[in-house]
Amino acid sequence: MKKLIYLVLSVLCAISGIYGIYDTITTPQDDLATSIIAILLLAFLAWLFMHLFLKPEPRHKHQAENAPEPSQEAASDAPTAETAPITHVNANSGVEDDYVAVDIETTGLGRDARIIELGAVRIRHGRKVASYSQLVNPQIPIPAKVTQITGITDRDVRHQPTIDKALPKFYDFCGHDMWVGHNIRRFDLPVIAREAERAGVGMPDVSFYDTLEISQTLLPQLDRHRLLDLIRHFGIAKTERHRAADDAAQTARVFERLKQI
């Protein structure tokens, strides 16, 4: 309904502007400057409403209380009934060129997982313009397996901010941008939401694209759709570092390549 209103308003403004031009040419005007300004304003409004009409709606809207359980990495490649359909996108379809790609590192994969690193990169017109990286003190020991994967030790996070101080700064960096993440629906967002609730800092209502879900739709020929599989498929890198900001940057590059399919 909203899209239809934008279209109608755009057409009405365009018609009014055209009539204004005709009236200005055919009828002597006492105040020509005012007529020209009115025509330019109508032209701008016609363009604005048409832009809003053509702008794509966000694919998902995150609601923390409805977020499904994060799954094990091996299981994350399988489509589920709760995965929203992703329509075909390409570089010219108007899909987000300005967004933040996000990633987190945690103490585990279960409901008691705590964040040990927040990372994000800000993308403007498809290019990285800023990055954010923050280690977080989880206030519990980091499992040896996690240290082996990420390289993050208890000593590294000992004097780092706790999640109640780290999350607000992370939100500030992300601003009101669309979030892009790999398996963000089933892992990153639920973990961030639980950590936000535990810390009492609130969780923003986030619109997002999930590169895992998009790749499952656009690249059905791949056996697996991990971030590692995609960066290798697109020739971006041979390995992922399992550090939040680095993985976020690779996710952004994957997203840009998916938009070109």
Side-chain angles (χ1 to χ4, degrees):
M1 184 62 183
K2 183 170 64 175
K3 291 284 191 179
L4 180 59
I5 293 174
Y6 288 148
L7 178 60
V8 170
L9 290 173
S10 178
V11 172
L12 288 176
C13 289
I15 292 174
S16 298
I18 293 171
Y19 175 78
I21 294 173
Y22 174 79
D23 188 56
T24 300
I25 294 173
T26 59
T27 305
Q29 301 291 322
D30 295 332
D31 192 344
L32 183 60
T34 301
S35 298
I36 293 175
I37 292 174
I39 292 169
L40 291 175
L41 177 60
L42 287 169
F44 170 76
L45 290 174
W47 171 85
L48 176 62
F49 289 127
M50 183 56 68
H51 173 75
L52 293 173
F53 169 72
L54 295 175
K55 184 178 181 181
E57 294 291 336
R59 294 289 185 262
H60 309 293
K61 203 72 169 177
H62 169 64
Q63 299 295 337
E65 63 273 17
N66 294 327
E69 292 291 325
S71 57
Q72 297 292 331
E73 184 179 25
S76 70
D77 293 337
T80 70
E82 297 188 42
T83 298
I86 303 295
T87 57
H88 182 84
V89 296
N90 59 59
N92 298 316
S93 67
V95 174
E96 300 294 322
D97 288 325
D98 297 344
Y99 56 89
V100 288
V102 303
D103 189 70
I104 60 175
E105 300 299 335
T106 66
T107 57
L109 298 175
R111 287 190 61 86
D112 59 347
R114 294 197 176 182
I115 294 172
I116 58 175
E117 189 175 35
L118 294 160
V121 293
R122 183 180 297 127
I123 305 296
R124 292 293 179 265
H125 305 296
R127 296 182 179 275
K128 183 174 75 171
V129 297
S131 62
Y132 177 92
S133 178
Q134 178 62 63
L135 289 171
V136 180
N137 184 348
Q139 299 178 294
I140 61 173
I142 298 175
K145 183 177 181 180
V146 172
T147 295
Q148 182 180 3
I149 294 173
T150 65
I152 301 173
T153 67
D154 290 326
R155 184 175 181 179
D156 292 331
V157 300
R158 185 179 305 160
H159 300 296
Q160 298 298 325
T162 50
I163 196 65
D164 58 314
K165 295 180 177 62
L167 266 183
K169 293 182 179 180
F170 175 73
Y171 294 159
D172 287 343
F173 179 85
C174 294
H176 298 292
D177 282 356
M178 177 82 67
W179 289 16
V180 172
H182 194 76
N183 201 25
I184 188 174
R185 176 205 286 273
R186 290 181 287 180
F187 184 71
D188 301 74
L189 285 175
V191 173
I192 293 173
R194 285 197 296 270
E195 285 280 70
E197 182 179 7
R198 179 176 68 84
V201 298
M203 175 71 186
D205 189 16
V206 177
S207 299
F208 65 95
Y209 285 97
D210 192 325
T211 51
L212 171 63
E213 297 177 357
I214 298 173
S215 69
Q216 287 171 336
T217 299
L218 300 185
L219 299 171
Q221 72 274 20
L222 296 184
D223 293 330
R224 305 185 72 181
H225 296 265
R226 299 170 301 172
L227 181 60
L228 176 62
D229 301 312
L230 295 180
I231 61 176
R232 287 177 175 175
H233 174 75
F234 289 124
I236 294 170
K238 294 182 179 180
T239 60
E240 55 179 316
R241 289 194 58 199
H242 292 289
R243 295 300 299 266
D246 293 327
D247 289 353
Q250 289 184 338
T251 298
R253 294 184 66 185
V254 166
F255 184 58
E256 291 300 318
R257 295 297 296 272
L258 288 170
K259 285 162 57 179
Q260 298 172 10
I261 295 177

